Amino acid sequence: DSGVTQTPKHLITATGQRVTLRCSPRSGDLSVYWYQQSLDQGLQFLIQYYNGEERAKGNILERFSAQQFPDLHSELNLSSLELGDSALYFCASSVALAGQGITGELFFGEGSRLTVL
Amino acid sequence: DAKTTQPTSMDCAEGRAANLPCNHSTISGNEYVYWYRQIHSQGPQYIIHGLKNNETNEMASLIITEDRKSSTLILPHATLRDTAVYYCIVRSSIYNQGGKLIFGQGTELSVKP
């Protein structure tokens, strides 16, 4: 158990719909990262938040958005869903930014499996 | 972040050492080498990391060449539960780089009885 909690574990929805994935980081972790893993793309970095502020952006579509709340939990919003958005979405957390004397390990949750029909 | 090159797949006999190579010839001085693994559709799991010196923990050993252009992850006594995809990642330690991990395709390790 990594200490990172993701909900829901499984989600089935239709094209055009909108869903929200939730992530609770490990206690004390300030950074939250979102990744997408589909069969043909591998693990793709989407976005990172640090203490409520966006820190780094990867291959995140404009239809997707995220935020980190004052209690440090994060939500990933996926809208106008397409078949190709079907994937595993992972959240990870770490204590702080790399370079601050911390090992910088990322701890990953078990993922939310999204199926778009 | 520097790019890494790993073999697509490897086999290892149960109980033997598994040696997983990684090439990172463009690594810069402030970049660490990290290893993670992912057991079938589970969240990736941290294994070990290093900068210049060889490192060992309860899971594995990491051997980094003197020029830092390549490294080897060693699982000393592989078990069936070590069957997974192993990712070698080079990651910046600079504050403003954010600390994100960029995953490549990894090596699919199959441990066989």
Side-chain angles (χ1 to χ4, degrees):
Chain A
D1 181 7
S2 67
V4 177
T5 304
Q6 290 187 247
T7 57
K9 287 185 170 27
H10 301 275
L11 189 56
I12 301 174
T13 188
T15 55
Q17 295 298 304
R18 172 190 170 96
V19 298
T20 297
L21 309 180
R22 181 187 169 102
C23 170
S24 295
R26 293 188 322 151
S27 177
D29 283 1
L30 299 177
S31 273
V32 170
Y33 309 75
W34 285 98
Y35 286 82
Q36 178 192 55
Q37 187 172 36
S38 54
L39 280 174
D40 57 346
Q41 291 291 321
L43 271 161
Q44 299 288 314
F45 168 71
L46 295 178
I47 197 164
Q48 178 204 356
Y49 280 83
Y50 174 72
N51 204 20
E53 294 187 3
E54 183 183 304
R55 196 69 184 83
K57 217 168 192 177
N59 303 319
I60 188 167
L61 299 172
E62 285 192 10
R63 299 184 286 108
F64 297 179
S65 64
Q67 58 184 132
Q68 186 179 26
F69 295 87
D71 66 353
L72 300 177
H73 92 271
S74 178
E75 292 181 357
L76 179 67
N77 300 297
L78 315 175
S79 62
S80 303
L81 285 167
E82 301 174 1
L83 297 177
D85 297 327
S86 295
L88 263 172
Y89 291 85
F90 288 106
C91 170
S93 72
S94 67
V95 172
L97 295 175
Q100 292 182 333
I102 309 295
T103 60
E105 299 169 40
L106 268 63
F107 294 86
F108 284 79
E110 289 306 306
S112 293
R113 182 176 294 279
L114 173 65
T115 302
V116 182
L117 301 176
Chain B
D1 291 340
K3 186 176 178 179
T4 62
T5 304
Q6 300 177 252
T8 303
S9 64
M10 293 181 64
D11 289 341
C12 177
E14 189 178 19
R16 304 297 291 268
N19 296 280
L20 291 89
C22 179
N23 182 287
H24 32 78
S25 58
T26 60
I27 193 171
S28 61
N30 59 21
E31 290 178 320
Y32 286 77
V33 179
Y34 279 77
W35 284 83
Y36 279 73
R37 73 179 182 184
Q38 185 176 25
I39 297 171
H40 185 59
S41 294
Q42 295 181 19
Q45 176 190 23
Y46 167 82
I47 301 173
I48 199 167
H49 76 283
L51 182 63
K52 295 180 184 178
N53 301 320
N54 298 338
E55 302 287 345
T56 296
N57 63 20
E58 66 279 3
M59 288 184 69
S61 295
L62 173 61
I63 308 298
I64 303 174
T65 58
E66 193 168 342
D67 63 7
R68 303 213 317 127
K69 293 185 177 182
S70 65
S71 61
T72 301
L73 177 75
I74 301 172
L75 307 178
H77 305 287
T79 71
L80 299 178
R81 289 177 294 178
D82 292 322
T83 292
V85 177
Y86 287 78
Y87 297 97
C88 169
I89 302 164
V90 171
R91 181 198 197 191
S92 174
S93 63
I94 295 176
Y95 177 85
N96 64 1
Q97 299 278 328
K100 63 187 181 294
L101 295 173
I102 302 299
F103 289 82
Q105 294 306 307
T107 296
E108 188 166 0
L109 176 70
S110 296
V111 180
K112 300 182 183 301

